[in-house]
Amino acid sequence: MKLYSDEELAEILDQDIFHLISDAADRLGLECYVVGGYVRDIFLERPSDDIDVVVVGSGIEVAKELKRMLGRQAHLSVFKNFGTAQVKFSRREEGGMLKEYEVEFVGARRESYSHDSRKPIVEDGTLEDDQNRRDFTINAMAICLNKDRFGELVDPFNGLADLEDGIIATPLDPSITFSDDPLRMMRCIRFATQLNFQIEDETFEALEHMADRIKIVSGERIEVELNKIILSQHPSKGFVDLQRCGLLNIILPELAALDIVEQKNGRAHKNNFYHTLEVLENVVKAQSDCDSQSSIPNTHLWLRWAALLHDVGKTKTKRWDPSVGWTFHNHNYVGAKMVQVIFRRLKLPMGTEMKYVQKLVDLHMRPQVIADSEVTDSAVRRLLNDAGDDIDDLMTLCEADITSKNEGRKKMFLENFRMVREKLADLQEKDYKRLLQPVIDGNEIMELFHLQPSREVGILKQYLKDAVLDNRVENEREPLMQLLMQKAHEMGLDGGFAN
């Protein structure tokens, strides 16, 4: 973070875009300020293209004046119901680069809320009113754009000090702030996670007291904030805060339920909530390493969701077996079924993204089972057949899942995973899709034996598939036909054979 004087802020804002906005506001005799994230990110020395402007008066009129000044190159959108407007345009910067701008204008306002809605009753207000309604002190700072005060910082809640101290706090009473708009509770934790800040004590206490208010927020809005937390550099920080304040138990109770350790006869299982967060951090690190090698996968978000949900089935499958201790048999299968329920509730996409997460949760134990014993060609071929194009992500998840504190066991698993990867690479190089799909398919089986789609056809197809996956025969027509005829004979299907 870096501190700037008003004079230095004026130099930072010495750009065409801000002088144009300044001229538009001055022509109309209206105060205007750049506010929110753009101001915050100046002090954090982070690039930002989000320009939000508050006008003491009509923000729409200033937007119209800016559009008039820019002419045809600018596009104006007016949202009268919300009292806002947006101007989009392109400017050629020094060096010839074309830069796209989006500027949001709003009139300064005061807001009041009813208990059962996030939609405020809005009235015209002063700059002070507008800053009072902001979510956090670090987002309530404003810099004046009018010519006679250009670059002057207006910071009534000491947001600059909170930025310097790494603190998330609300401008007014946090209980009122969160009650008025409960989504701010998710934003509070999201900002703390993204910026690696601490939540101020009174603000955190309000999160605990007001957590139940999150129930009036739509799944779509919660999903947006959750995804931003998951995509942050250290998402586990956000999930710990969500768990500590009680929000997680409301929005993602399946994950919150893992935060328990049971002990019986002196034997305890690990805390699967904190294990899950460790796996998530391992996935983030693996993706970061991959990014640094300029090979960025397009499944960052959904692989992280798979890491987050990979063990959610453990709560339902936990059993005590006196001979072995605590067991979680089939938790992968149960967890995969839970994925669909969670995605639907949170309004996450139910198409390929959900199926991808479901597949990885279902298969996440398979590589470990292989790596726990002899790494056979047959097991690797079956794994590749089931995982398909998602095999690399599955292996990343499974390697991240090795969190054992037993260094010897951890080393053995990782070495066996290396062998699995080598065998997988060999199969992929040889075009596994062709190698693992029998050249005799179901249609030919039905034609050979005069069968309709039926259980018998499925048995014969699977028999050939197993033979190929187990590498008992080459995936060639003649040896597969011999196997097919033998199996059909055992099933009494010889009579239907088409000569």
Side-chain angles (χ1 to χ4, degrees):
M1 177 187 165
K2 189 169 182 180
L3 298 176
Y4 298 100
S5 66
D6 289 353
E7 292 75 16
E8 289 171 322
L9 289 174
E11 288 182 22
I12 291 170
L13 296 179
D14 185 17
Q15 304 172 41
D16 282 353
I17 175 63
F18 294 112
H19 289 301
L20 285 166
I21 296 169
S22 176
D23 290 345
D26 284 345
R27 288 183 186 187
L28 297 173
L30 297 173
E31 288 181 49
C32 81
Y33 302 82
V34 60
V35 298
Y38 194 91
V39 177
R40 179 196 69 226
D41 288 342
I42 286 175
F43 294 102
L44 290 176
E45 300 182 275
R46 301 197 315 175
S48 179
D49 294 323
D50 264 346
I51 302 176
D52 292 318
V53 174
V54 165
V55 176
V56 182
S58 173
I60 292 175
E61 290 307 311
V62 176
K64 286 180 177 178
E65 179 64 18
L66 178 62
K67 156 65 179 167
R68 189 192 66 75
M69 293 165 60
L70 288 167
R72 291 183 179 179
Q73 64 173 302
H75 176 75
L76 171 68
S77 301
V78 175
F79 310 96
K80 285 186 178 179
N81 290 345
F82 300 98
T84 64
Q86 180 190 72
V87 178
K88 289 184 179 182
F89 65 100
S90 303
R91 299 281 283 187
R92 199 161 293 283
E93 304 289 305
E94 289 183 17
M97 292 289 292
L98 196 65
K99 184 169 181 179
E100 303 284 337
Y101 288 98
E102 286 187 17
V103 187
E104 302 278 348
F105 292 87
V106 64
R109 60 196 188 185
R110 64 168 64 96
E111 296 177 344
S112 57
Y113 292 79
S114 62
H115 187 73
D116 60 348
S117 174
R118 290 182 54 241
K119 293 181 180 178
I121 300 166
V122 177
E123 303 171 87
D124 291 342
T126 63
L127 175 65
E128 182 183 4
D129 290 327
D130 201 87
Q131 288 176 302
N132 285 343
R133 74 178 181 84
R134 298 279 161 176
D135 50 8
F136 308 111
T137 60
I138 62 172
N139 293 334
M141 296 182 289
I143 301 175
C144 188
L145 294 179
N146 297 100
K147 189 173 183 179
D148 59 343
R149 294 170 54 208
F150 193 83
E152 179 184 313
L153 177 67
V154 183
D155 181 19
F157 303 110
N158 294 315
L160 203 53
D162 285 346
L163 266 185
E164 197 169 12
D165 294 338
I167 295 293
I168 302 292
T170 58
L172 303 178
D173 183 334
S175 293
I176 296 173
T177 298
F178 294 149
S179 180
D180 283 350
D181 184 355
L183 184 64
R184 289 170 176 165
M185 294 189 286
M186 294 294 300
R187 285 170 58 82
C188 176
I189 290 173
R190 187 253 292 181
F191 277 118
T193 306
Q194 288 180 324
L195 300 175
N196 195 25
F197 280 16
Q198 296 302 310
I199 300 172
E200 181 257 346
D201 288 346
E202 186 181 355
T203 303
F204 195 86
E205 288 170 11
L207 287 175
E208 294 176 295
H209 297 149
M210 306 306 299
D212 206 53
R213 287 281 287 156
I214 200 69
K215 292 176 181 177
I216 72 167
V217 180
S218 69
E220 290 91 344
R221 299 306 297 272
I222 291 172
E223 171 213 341
V224 169
E225 296 301 324
L226 270 180
N227 284 343
K228 288 179 180 178
I229 291 171
I230 290 172
L231 285 173
S232 62
Q233 190 172 0
H234 291 291
S236 61
K237 173 177 166 50
F239 284 98
V240 169
D241 282 343
L242 286 169
Q243 177 72 335
R244 286 174 57 225
C245 73
L247 280 169
L248 193 64
N249 194 49
I250 298 170
I251 62 177
L252 198 45
E254 299 88 347
L255 181 62
L258 295 175
D259 189 9
I260 188 173
V261 175
E262 284 194 67
Q263 186 167 321
K264 198 163 185 176
N265 296 349
R267 301 174 75 173
H269 62 77
K270 63 188 172 188
N271 184 306
N272 286 301
F273 175 71
Y274 287 98
H275 161 73
T276 293
L277 297 187
E278 191 174 349
V279 174
L280 177 59
E281 289 290 331
N282 288 342
V283 165
V284 172
K285 184 179 184 305
Q287 290 178 330
S288 179
D289 291 345
C290 184
D291 291 354
S292 67
Q293 296 167 20
S294 302
S295 176
I296 304 175
N298 61 2
T299 52
H300 269 40
L301 175 61
W302 306 112
L303 180 53
R304 294 186 190 194
W305 267 106
L308 195 66
L309 300 180
H310 80 284
D311 272 352
V312 289
K314 282 190 170 180
T315 305
K316 291 187 176 182
T317 59
K318 182 167 63 176
R319 301 288 184 272
W320 170 256
D321 183 337
S323 62
V324 295
W326 294 101
T327 66
F328 304 92
H329 295 312
N330 292 323
H331 74 272
N332 55 310
Y333 171 74
V334 172
K337 290 173 67 176
M338 293 167 68
V339 167
Q340 188 173 28
V341 175
I342 292 168
F343 267 54
R344 182 173 290 113
R345 186 180 69 243
L346 291 176
K347 303 298 189 290
L348 288 158
M350 298 298 293
T352 55
E353 297 89 348
M354 187 276 292
K355 290 175 182 175
Y356 165 89
V357 173
Q358 208 171 29
K359 179 200 278 188
L360 263 58
V361 171
D362 187 23
L363 294 178
H364 82 270
M365 294 298 295
R366 286 274 295 280
Q368 287 194 31
V369 171
I370 295 173
D372 204 16
S373 55
E374 184 183 354
V375 181
T376 66
D377 288 348
S378 173
V380 172
R381 290 163 74 93
R382 286 182 174 278
L383 176 64
L384 184 53
N385 176 74
D386 293 342
D389 293 335
D390 299 319
I391 186 64
D392 289 335
D393 287 347
L394 177 62
M395 291 301 296
T396 297
L397 173 60
C398 293
E399 286 166 346
D401 198 17
I402 305 303
T403 62
S404 173
K405 300 301 181 281
N406 182 326
E407 288 303 318
R409 182 168 171 77
K410 187 174 182 178
K411 185 177 179 181
M412 179 202 76
F413 266 114
L414 292 176
E415 174 60 22
N416 281 0
F417 274 142
R418 186 190 62 76
M419 293 170 60
V420 171
R421 280 191 179 274
E422 285 181 359
K423 289 179 181 290
L424 286 169
D426 185 54
L427 275 173
Q428 287 171 310
E429 190 178 334
K430 294 176 180 175
D431 186 4
Y432 77 92
K433 289 182 179 178
R434 180 182 60 79
L435 282 173
L436 304 184
Q437 295 301 321
V439 294
I440 300 174
D441 62 14
N443 290 327
E444 187 170 358
I445 290 171
M446 288 190 287
E447 186 178 335
L448 281 169
F449 297 101
H450 298 304
L451 294 171
Q452 294 298 314
S454 59
R455 178 174 172 271
E456 286 79 9
V457 175
I459 291 172
L460 291 170
K461 278 179 61 180
Q462 191 60 48
Y463 183 73
L464 295 184
K465 180 104 178 192
D466 289 341
V468 170
L469 291 176
D470 292 337
N471 207 19
R472 286 189 278 126
V473 294
E474 291 295 322
N475 189 9
E476 296 173 358
R477 187 172 185 77
E478 185 174 337
L480 281 177
M481 187 63 76
Q482 289 180 7
L483 275 183
L484 177 62
M485 291 305 169
Q486 290 171 10
K487 185 64 176 176
H489 176 72
E490 292 173 13
M491 294 171 63
L493 296 175
D494 314 62
F497 177 65
N499 294 307

